[in-house]
Amino acid sequence: GESVGLHLPTLSVQEGDNSIINCAYSNSASDYFIWYKQESGKGPQFIIDIRSNMDKRQGQRVTVLLNKTVKHLSLQIAATQPGDSAVYFCAENNGQNFVFGPGTRLSVLP
Amino acid sequence: KAGVTQTPRYLIKTRGQQVTLSCSPISGHRSVSWYQQTPGQGLQFLFEYFSETQRNKGNFPGRFSGRQFSNSRSEMNVSTLELGDSALYLCASSLARGHGTEAFFGQGTRLTVV
């Protein structure tokens, strides 16, 4: 699995601005991806998913972009709100199980 | 419908003891996966159960084991606890196995080994 030590990458954004969280995945054969949000003291919560036959998918205030060429996934959050403050994980399904990225902590500034 | 339920929420054990954690998946879900989450290692896959059989296993020692019952409820057991086993243990349930199957997580069990 992946490890990043004790310090998560942190993204700080102003309330109302757009946020972009990036993730590099490892297995070119992975064909299903999910973004999860984890708030303190809670389990990961599903945000949005995308299959490898798509390169973009939109939800409510969120958009996921998939670039299979460089094995890169991004999550865009529009009009970021204080309630969006959390750790965000990308997960790839390699056909056996989900492999999670190290996570990014999103901090929304008032 | 009810989400994934994990019990207990918090647990404190002593080194050398063993512990059993429980997970009740969403009704109708047959796949249950377990993960260990620590600040240093992030979310690490432990194992997956489907139809009472372990289908996939992560890179953890044999002290970590699990099982699934006919009602899809799952338990995981850790024997001879070590300090490094302190972590948040998360259970996720899915309707089925394989690609394109969304996984729903429980709140986790916070295990502290002293």
Side-chain angles (χ1 to χ4, degrees):
Chain A
E2 301 180 43
S3 63
V4 288
L6 293 174
H7 301 289
L8 286 175
T10 299
L11 174 66
S12 296
V13 297
Q14 210 70 39
E15 182 178 352
D17 286 353
N18 296 336
S19 303
I20 300 176
I21 301 171
N22 296 303
C23 177
Y25 64 93
S26 57
N27 190 336
S28 56
S30 293
D31 63 358
Y32 179 58
F33 306 86
I34 298 179
W35 278 101
Y36 284 95
K37 171 187 179 183
Q38 188 174 23
E39 297 173 282
S40 181
K42 298 183 178 180
Q45 177 186 3
F46 174 93
I47 301 174
I48 191 168
D49 60 357
I50 188 168
R51 296 187 187 345
S52 60
N53 61 352
M54 305 170 68
D55 52 22
K56 179 179 179 180
R57 188 157 190 240
Q58 288 184 290
Q60 187 178 16
R61 279 203 309 121
V62 294
T63 300
V64 54
L65 299 177
L66 175 62
N67 185 330
K68 295 181 288 294
T69 303
V70 295
K71 293 189 286 187
H72 183 268
L73 205 61
S74 69
L75 176 70
Q76 300 177 2
I77 304 174
T80 312
Q81 302 168 359
D84 296 327
S85 293
V87 176
Y88 290 80
F89 295 94
C90 66
E92 61 179 300
N93 190 306
N94 58 15
Q96 296 291 322
N97 55 271
F98 280 100
V99 176
F100 285 79
T104 296
R105 184 178 303 282
L106 176 63
S107 179
V108 181
L109 307 172
Chain B
K1 56 183 175 182
V4 179
T5 304
Q6 291 188 244
T7 56
R9 287 293 311 278
Y10 302 94
L11 207 48
I12 299 176
K13 289 286 189 179
T14 305
R15 271 183 303 174
Q17 286 187 310
Q18 66 116 26
V19 67
T20 300
L21 312 180
S22 179
C23 171
S24 293
I26 292 171
S27 179
H29 284 198
R30 297 171 62 195
S31 173
V32 174
S33 296
W34 288 90
Y35 294 83
Q36 181 195 66
Q37 186 175 32
T38 60
Q41 298 295 321
L43 268 157
Q44 302 280 304
F45 172 74
L46 280 157
F47 27 65
E48 180 206 0
Y49 285 86
F50 182 83
S51 293
E52 303 176 64
T53 303
Q54 187 181 92
R55 304 292 179 151
N56 195 13
K57 190 176 190 304
N59 188 26
F60 278 82
R63 300 185 297 108
F64 291 81
S65 63
R67 59 177 174 168
Q68 187 179 35
F69 302 94
S70 58
N71 61 358
S72 294
R73 189 178 72 84
S74 177
E75 290 181 347
M76 69 162 280
N77 185 280
V78 188
S79 62
T80 320
L81 283 165
E82 301 176 359
L83 295 178
D85 296 333
S86 295
L88 180 68
Y89 289 88
L90 291 160
C91 163
S93 81
S94 299
L95 191 59
R97 301 191 69 230
H99 298 263
T101 305
E102 186 178 331
F104 297 85
F105 282 86
Q107 300 267 57
T109 294
R110 172 76 61 186
L111 172 66
T112 302
V113 182
V114 297

